[in-house]
Amino acid sequence: MVKTIEGSRAAPRTPSIDADEVAKFSAMAADWWNPTGKFKPLHRFNPVRLKFIRETAERHFDIAAGAVKPLDGLRLLDIGCGGGLVSEPMCRLGASVTGVDASEANIKTALTHASEQGLDIDYRAGTAEGLIDAGEAPFDIVLNLEVVEHVADAHQFLKDTASLVRPGGLMIVASLNRTAKALATAVIGAEYVLGWLPRGTHDWSKFVTPNEVRTALLAAGMTPEPATGVVFKPLSGAWILSDDTAVNFMVVARRPEA
């Protein structure tokens, strides 16, 4: 049975919910764990972002590099978790993981796959607002990965998710920049020319700039760092970190100690 966050569906504030976006990803839910399917780009993207998350957490919480379970003892929220492509690796690194997604179909996929892998992950169908309204305790780490460009109100969504970070904790936001280069590569190129993603996966007008992310996080009392770019290298077929934030970028933000 899928666990639903109490109050999520009828919450008066729903900046997380764009019904069309939820329906779009629900229709693709069964394909999440197929490395050659509709989510192939995310499977290719996963290694660089997982390494970034791990190393960021190790530095922030003063964890010795190379530990088998460096996130042991830390509570982690994966908001917009989809089928669990990040939640599962975070669980294996020792974190106590809560994965939340507005699509019940995605959560069913994530639950099934985690069970098959013998992983104990607290998956819930719902929203960030639902967690807040239910009085959820804040988390050590909040991951906000490739979801802000799919919500109804990006600014409010970032503020809401930031409120779920405990004092001394951190948030990592990954998204797509609203630039001409991103339109050409992430939408026209990836969806219409190369066919890496189903057509209509992204709406360029909903992309956010690093400055917009920074503004929302500052308003929420966070201390954001400069954005880190992630670029694709066609010859190697790998994604690497870069100073180029024109398409994909990640922002680390920390909540000061109380």
Side-chain angles (χ1 to χ4, degrees):
M1 181 177 178
V2 174
K3 185 187 297 184
T4 301
I5 300 169
E6 186 176 354
S8 292
R9 297 185 181 184
R13 298 178 295 113
T14 54
S16 296
I17 299 296
D18 181 313
D20 291 339
E21 295 290 328
V22 173
K24 181 192 305 178
F25 284 92
S26 293
M28 297 188 287
D31 214 28
W32 273 103
W33 287 95
N34 179 1
T36 61
K38 296 172 182 176
F39 294 101
K40 179 179 178 180
L42 282 182
H43 285 271
R44 283 182 147 186
F45 191 56
N46 234 10
V48 68
R49 66 177 178 177
L50 293 176
K51 184 174 185 288
F52 182 83
I53 293 165
R54 174 178 180 146
E55 292 179 349
T56 298
E58 287 175 341
R59 289 193 300 271
H60 180 80
F61 295 106
D62 196 23
I63 299 165
V68 176
K69 290 187 178 292
L71 305 186
D72 190 32
L74 297 176
R75 293 182 69 240
L76 181 147
L77 171 64
D78 184 7
I79 193 73
C81 63
L85 297 187
V86 173
S87 292
E88 288 197 11
M90 294 299 105
C91 181
R92 289 193 174 95
L93 291 176
S96 174
V97 178
T98 298
V100 174
D101 200 281
S103 166
E104 189 169 314
N106 286 345
I107 291 298
K108 287 179 178 178
T109 297
L111 278 168
T112 300
H113 196 270
S115 177
E116 291 170 347
Q117 302 300 309
L119 298 175
D120 182 14
I121 298 174
D122 180 12
Y123 282 122
R124 312 183 202 177
T127 63
E129 310 91 77
L131 288 172
I132 295 166
D133 293 342
E136 183 73 33
F139 295 82
D140 300 291
I141 303 172
V142 173
L143 300 181
N144 193 332
L145 310 177
E146 285 77 46
V147 62
V148 67
E149 67 270 21
H150 298 291
V151 301
D153 184 339
H155 185 87
Q156 186 61 49
F157 175 73
L158 286 165
K159 289 178 65 178
D160 284 344
T161 49
S163 75
L164 292 164
V165 180
R166 72 159 174 82
L170 65 87
M171 170 185 276
I172 299 175
V173 179
S175 192
L176 287 156
N177 202 345
R178 196 173 61 256
T179 62
K181 185 175 180 180
L183 175 62
T185 59
V187 180
I188 298 172
E191 296 181 20
Y192 292 86
V193 178
L194 298 173
W196 285 358
L197 293 166
R199 293 185 178 187
T201 297
H202 291 111
D203 178 351
W204 179 82
S205 69
K206 299 185 73 170
F207 288 6
V208 293
T209 68
N211 189 56
E212 287 168 346
V213 171
R214 176 182 173 83
T215 298
L217 295 178
L218 284 170
M222 302 287 284
T223 304
E225 297 180 354
T228 298
V230 189
V231 299
F232 181 68
K233 292 296 185 181
L235 292 179
S236 64
W239 291 85
I240 63 169
L241 300 182
S242 168
D243 293 332
D244 183 358
T245 61
V247 182
N248 293 85
F249 68 91
M250 294 187 286
V251 173
V252 175
R254 308 169 195 278
R255 181 169 295 286
E257 293 281 0

mmCIF file with all atom_site columns, all heavy atoms in Angstrom, residues 121-136:
data_model
loop_
_atom_site.group_PDB
_atom_site.id
_atom_site.type_symbol
_atom_site.label_atom_id
_atom_site.label_alt_id
_atom_site.label_comp_id
_atom_site.label_asym_id
_atom_site.label_entity_id
_atom_site.label_seq_id
_atom_site.pdbx_PDB_ins_code
_atom_site.Cartn_x
_atom_site.Cartn_y
_atom_site.Cartn_z
_atom_site.occupancy
_atom_site.B_iso_or_equiv
_atom_site.pdbx_formal_charge
_atom_site.auth_seq_id
_atom_site.auth_comp_id
_atom_site.auth_asym_id
_atom_site.auth_atom_id
_atom_site.pdbx_PDB_model_num
ATOM 1   N N   . ILE A 1 121 ? 13.299 2.107  2.458  1.00 0.00 ? 121 ILE A N   1
ATOM 2   C CA  . ILE A 1 121 ? 13.165 3.530  2.141  1.00 0.00 ? 121 ILE A CA  1
ATOM 3   C C   . ILE A 1 121 ? 11.728 3.955  2.422  1.00 0.00 ? 121 ILE A C   1
ATOM 4   O O   . ILE A 1 121 ? 10.784 3.261  2.056  1.00 0.00 ? 121 ILE A O   1
ATOM 5   C CB  . ILE A 1 121 ? 13.533 3.806  0.673  1.00 0.00 ? 121 ILE A CB  1
ATOM 6   C CG1 . ILE A 1 121 ? 14.999 3.426  0.410  1.00 0.00 ? 121 ILE A CG1 1
ATOM 7   C CG2 . ILE A 1 121 ? 13.297 5.275  0.314  1.00 0.00 ? 121 ILE A CG2 1
ATOM 8   C CD1 . ILE A 1 121 ? 15.424 3.526  -1.046 1.00 0.00 ? 121 ILE A CD1 1
ATOM 9   N N   . ASP A 1 122 ? 11.584 5.088  3.082  1.00 0.00 ? 122 ASP A N   1
ATOM 10  C CA  . ASP A 1 122 ? 10.265 5.603  3.441  1.00 0.00 ? 122 ASP A CA  1
ATOM 11  C C   . ASP A 1 122 ? 9.706  6.403  2.262  1.00 0.00 ? 122 ASP A C   1
ATOM 12  O O   . ASP A 1 122 ? 9.899  7.615  2.170  1.00 0.00 ? 122 ASP A O   1
ATOM 13  C CB  . ASP A 1 122 ? 10.387 6.483  4.688  1.00 0.00 ? 122 ASP A CB  1
ATOM 14  C CG  . ASP A 1 122 ? 9.050  7.057  5.138  1.00 0.00 ? 122 ASP A CG  1
ATOM 15  O OD1 . ASP A 1 122 ? 7.997  6.604  4.634  1.00 0.00 ? 122 ASP A OD1 1
ATOM 16  O OD2 . ASP A 1 122 ? 9.059  7.974  5.990  1.00 0.00 ? 122 ASP A OD2 1
ATOM 17  N N   . TYR A 1 123 ? 9.025  5.707  1.352  1.00 0.00 ? 123 TYR A N   1
ATOM 18  C CA  . TYR A 1 123 ? 8.444  6.366  0.185  1.00 0.00 ? 123 TYR A CA  1
ATOM 19  C C   . TYR A 1 123 ? 7.021  6.821  0.488  1.00 0.00 ? 123 TYR A C   1
ATOM 20  O O   . TYR A 1 123 ? 6.223  6.072  1.075  1.00 0.00 ? 123 TYR A O   1
ATOM 21  C CB  . TYR A 1 123 ? 8.423  5.417  -1.010 1.00 0.00 ? 123 TYR A CB  1
ATOM 22  C CG  . TYR A 1 123 ? 9.747  5.256  -1.710 1.00 0.00 ? 123 TYR A CG  1
ATOM 23  C CD1 . TYR A 1 123 ? 10.345 4.004  -1.836 1.00 0.00 ? 123 TYR A CD1 1
ATOM 24  C CD2 . TYR A 1 123 ? 10.398 6.357  -2.263 1.00 0.00 ? 123 TYR A CD2 1
ATOM 25  C CE1 . TYR A 1 123 ? 11.564 3.853  -2.493 1.00 0.00 ? 123 TYR A CE1 1
ATOM 26  C CE2 . TYR A 1 123 ? 11.609 6.210  -2.912 1.00 0.00 ? 123 TYR A CE2 1
ATOM 27  C CZ  . TYR A 1 123 ? 12.186 4.963  -3.028 1.00 0.00 ? 123 TYR A CZ  1
ATOM 28  O OH  . TYR A 1 123 ? 13.391 4.823  -3.670 1.00 0.00 ? 123 TYR A OH  1
ATOM 29  N N   . ARG A 1 124 ? 6.697  8.042  0.065  1.00 0.00 ? 124 ARG A N   1
ATOM 30  C CA  . ARG A 1 124 ? 5.358  8.589  0.303  1.00 0.00 ? 124 ARG A CA  1
ATOM 31  C C   . ARG A 1 124 ? 4.865  9.354  -0.925 1.00 0.00 ? 124 ARG A C   1
ATOM 32  O O   . ARG A 1 124 ? 5.627  10.093 -1.550 1.00 0.00 ? 124 ARG A O   1
ATOM 33  C CB  . ARG A 1 124 ? 5.373  9.558  1.494  1.00 0.00 ? 124 ARG A CB  1
ATOM 34  C CG  . ARG A 1 124 ? 6.072  9.037  2.736  1.00 0.00 ? 124 ARG A CG  1
ATOM 35  C CD  . ARG A 1 124 ? 5.948  10.038 3.856  1.00 0.00 ? 124 ARG A CD  1
ATOM 36  N NE  . ARG A 1 124 ? 6.981  9.866  4.865  1.00 0.00 ? 124 ARG A NE  1
ATOM 37  C CZ  . ARG A 1 124 ? 7.134  10.659 5.921  1.00 0.00 ? 124 ARG A CZ  1
ATOM 38  N NH1 . ARG A 1 124 ? 6.311  11.684 6.101  1.00 0.00 ? 124 ARG A NH1 1
ATOM 39  N NH2 . ARG A 1 124 ? 8.112  10.445 6.776  1.00 0.00 ? 124 ARG A NH2 1
ATOM 40  N N   . ALA A 1 125 ? 3.610  9.181  -1.242 1.00 0.00 ? 125 ALA A N   1
ATOM 41  C CA  . ALA A 1 125 ? 2.973  9.977  -2.291 1.00 0.00 ? 125 ALA A CA  1
ATOM 42  C C   . ALA A 1 125 ? 2.507  11.285 -1.665 1.00 0.00 ? 125 ALA A C   1
ATOM 43  O O   . ALA A 1 125 ? 1.755  11.276 -0.694 1.00 0.00 ? 125 ALA A O   1
ATOM 44  C CB  . ALA A 1 125 ? 1.790  9.222  -2.887 1.00 0.00 ? 125 ALA A CB  1
ATOM 45  N N   . GLY A 1 126 ? 2.978  12.391 -2.197 1.00 0.00 ? 126 GLY A N   1
ATOM 46  C CA  . GLY A 1 126 ? 2.582  13.670 -1.622 1.00 0.00 ? 126 GLY A CA  1
ATOM 47  C C   . GLY A 1 126 ? 3.463  14.803 -2.095 1.00 0.00 ? 126 GLY A C   1
ATOM 48  O O   . GLY A 1 126 ? 4.098  14.727 -3.146 1.00 0.00 ? 126 GLY A O   1
ATOM 49  N N   . THR A 1 127 ? 3.519  15.862 -1.306 1.00 0.00 ? 127 THR A N   1
ATOM 50  C CA  . THR A 1 127 ? 4.206  17.088 -1.686 1.00 0.00 ? 127 THR A CA  1
ATOM 51  C C   . THR A 1 127 ? 5.007  17.642 -0.521 1.00 0.00 ? 127 THR A C   1
ATOM 52  O O   . THR A 1 127 ? 4.842  17.233 0.630  1.00 0.00 ? 127 THR A O   1
ATOM 53  C CB  . THR A 1 127 ? 3.181  18.162 -2.103 1.00 0.00 ? 127 THR A CB  1
ATOM 54  O OG1 . THR A 1 127 ? 2.356  18.470 -0.968 1.00 0.00 ? 127 THR A OG1 1
ATOM 55  C CG2 . THR A 1 127 ? 2.306  17.687 -3.260 1.00 0.00 ? 127 THR A CG2 1
ATOM 56  N N   . ALA A 1 128 ? 5.852  18.615 -0.835 1.00 0.00 ? 128 ALA A N   1
ATOM 57  C CA  . ALA A 1 128 ? 6.605  19.306 0.211  1.00 0.00 ? 128 ALA A CA  1
ATOM 58  C C   . ALA A 1 128 ? 5.656  20.025 1.160  1.00 0.00 ? 128 ALA A C   1
ATOM 59  O O   . ALA A 1 128 ? 5.845  20.013 2.385  1.00 0.00 ? 128 ALA A O   1
ATOM 60  C CB  . ALA A 1 128 ? 7.572  20.307 -0.423 1.00 0.00 ? 128 ALA A CB  1
ATOM 61  N N   . GLU A 1 129 ? 4.609  20.639 0.614  1.00 0.00 ? 129 GLU A N   1
ATOM 62  C CA  . GLU A 1 129 ? 3.643  21.338 1.463  1.00 0.00 ? 129 GLU A CA  1
ATOM 63  C C   . GLU A 1 129 ? 2.954  20.369 2.415  1.00 0.00 ? 129 GLU A C   1
ATOM 64  O O   . GLU A 1 129 ? 2.661  20.698 3.557  1.00 0.00 ? 129 GLU A O   1
ATOM 65  C CB  . GLU A 1 129 ? 2.579  22.055 0.632  1.00 0.00 ? 129 GLU A CB  1
ATOM 66  C CG  . GLU A 1 129 ? 3.096  22.924 -0.488 1.00 0.00 ? 129 GLU A CG  1
ATOM 67  C CD  . GLU A 1 129 ? 3.207  22.130 -1.771 1.00 0.00 ? 129 GLU A CD  1
ATOM 68  O OE1 . GLU A 1 129 ? 2.195  21.879 -2.428 1.00 0.00 ? 129 GLU A OE1 1
ATOM 69  O OE2 . GLU A 1 129 ? 4.349  21.751 -2.107 1.00 0.00 ? 129 GLU A OE2 1
ATOM 70  N N   . GLY A 1 130 ? 2.703  19.138 1.910  1.00 0.00 ? 130 GLY A N   1
ATOM 71  C CA  . GLY A 1 130 ? 2.082  18.134 2.765  1.00 0.00 ? 130 GLY A CA  1
ATOM 72  C C   . GLY A 1 130 ? 2.978  17.775 3.937  1.00 0.00 ? 130 GLY A C   1
ATOM 73  O O   . GLY A 1 130 ? 2.497  17.610 5.066  1.00 0.00 ? 130 GLY A O   1
ATOM 74  N N   . LEU A 1 131 ? 4.273  17.659 3.697  1.00 0.00 ? 131 LEU A N   1
ATOM 75  C CA  . LEU A 1 131 ? 5.219  17.380 4.781  1.00 0.00 ? 131 LEU A CA  1
ATOM 76  C C   . LEU A 1 131 ? 5.196  18.502 5.813  1.00 0.00 ? 131 LEU A C   1
ATOM 77  O O   . LEU A 1 131 ? 5.186  18.262 7.027  1.00 0.00 ? 131 LEU A O   1
ATOM 78  C CB  . LEU A 1 131 ? 6.632  17.227 4.229  1.00 0.00 ? 131 LEU A CB  1
ATOM 79  C CG  . LEU A 1 131 ? 6.944  15.959 3.427  1.00 0.00 ? 131 LEU A CG  1
ATOM 80  C CD1 . LEU A 1 131 ? 8.325  16.081 2.793  1.00 0.00 ? 131 LEU A CD1 1
ATOM 81  C CD2 . LEU A 1 131 ? 6.880  14.717 4.303  1.00 0.00 ? 131 LEU A CD2 1
ATOM 82  N N   . ILE A 1 132 ? 5.202  19.740 5.325  1.00 0.00 ? 132 ILE A N   1
ATOM 83  C CA  . ILE A 1 132 ? 5.197  20.894 6.228  1.00 0.00 ? 132 ILE A CA  1
ATOM 84  C C   . ILE A 1 132 ? 3.916  20.922 7.055  1.00 0.00 ? 132 ILE A C   1
ATOM 85  O O   . ILE A 1 132 ? 3.942  21.082 8.276  1.00 0.00 ? 132 ILE A O   1
ATOM 86  C CB  . ILE A 1 132 ? 5.346  22.197 5.423  1.00 0.00 ? 132 ILE A CB  1
ATOM 87  C CG1 . ILE A 1 132 ? 6.722  22.234 4.752  1.00 0.00 ? 132 ILE A CG1 1
ATOM 88  C CG2 . ILE A 1 132 ? 5.155  23.419 6.308  1.00 0.00 ? 132 ILE A CG2 1
ATOM 89  C CD1 . ILE A 1 132 ? 6.847  23.301 3.679  1.00 0.00 ? 132 ILE A CD1 1
ATOM 90  N N   . ASP A 1 133 ? 2.777  20.750 6.383  1.00 0.00 ? 133 ASP A N   1
ATOM 91  C CA  . ASP A 1 133 ? 1.492  20.813 7.072  1.00 0.00 ? 133 ASP A CA  1
ATOM 92  C C   . ASP A 1 133 ? 1.322  19.670 8.076  1.00 0.00 ? 133 ASP A C   1
ATOM 93  O O   . ASP A 1 133 ? 0.604  19.802 9.062  1.00 0.00 ? 133 ASP A O   1
ATOM 94  C CB  . ASP A 1 133 ? 0.345  20.781 6.054  1.00 0.00 ? 133 ASP A CB  1
ATOM 95  C CG  . ASP A 1 133 ? 0.312  22.029 5.183  1.00 0.00 ? 133 ASP A CG  1
ATOM 96  O OD1 . ASP A 1 133 ? 0.929  23.041 5.571  1.00 0.00 ? 133 ASP A OD1 1
ATOM 97  O OD2 . ASP A 1 133 ? -0.315 21.995 4.105  1.00 0.00 ? 133 ASP A OD2 1
ATOM 98  N N   . ALA A 1 134 ? 2.008  18.544 7.817  1.00 0.00 ? 134 ALA A N   1
ATOM 99  C CA  . ALA A 1 134 ? 1.932  17.400 8.733  1.00 0.00 ? 134 ALA A CA  1
ATOM 100 C C   . ALA A 1 134 ? 2.932  17.526 9.877  1.00 0.00 ? 134 ALA A C   1
ATOM 101 O O   . ALA A 1 134 ? 2.970  16.659 10.760 1.00 0.00 ? 134 ALA A O   1
ATOM 102 C CB  . ALA A 1 134 ? 2.177  16.105 7.961  1.00 0.00 ? 134 ALA A CB  1
ATOM 103 N N   . GLY A 1 135 ? 3.740  18.588 9.888  1.00 0.00 ? 135 GLY A N   1
ATOM 104 C CA  . GLY A 1 135 ? 4.685  18.805 10.971 1.00 0.00 ? 135 GLY A CA  1
ATOM 105 C C   . GLY A 1 135 ? 5.910  17.911 10.909 1.00 0.00 ? 135 GLY A C   1
ATOM 106 O O   . GLY A 1 135 ? 6.493  17.575 11.946 1.00 0.00 ? 135 GLY A O   1
ATOM 107 N N   . GLU A 1 136 ? 6.326  17.537 9.689  1.00 0.00 ? 136 GLU A N   1
ATOM 108 C CA  . GLU A 1 136 ? 7.499  16.673 9.528  1.00 0.00 ? 136 GLU A CA  1
ATOM 109 C C   . GLU A 1 136 ? 8.741  17.336 10.130 1.00 0.00 ? 136 GLU A C   1
ATOM 110 O O   . GLU A 1 136 ? 8.982  18.528 9.938  1.00 0.00 ? 136 GLU A O   1
ATOM 111 C CB  . GLU A 1 136 ? 7.742  16.399 8.043  1.00 0.00 ? 136 GLU A CB  1
ATOM 112 C CG  . GLU A 1 136 ? 8.883  15.472 7.756  1.00 0.00 ? 136 GLU A CG  1
ATOM 113 C CD  . GLU A 1 136 ? 8.571  14.019 8.109  1.00 0.00 ? 136 GLU A CD  1
ATOM 114 O OE1 . GLU A 1 136 ? 7.395  13.617 7.975  1.00 0.00 ? 136 GLU A OE1 1
ATOM 115 O OE2 . GLU A 1 136 ? 9.511  13.299 8.483  1.00 0.00 ? 136 GLU A OE2 1
#
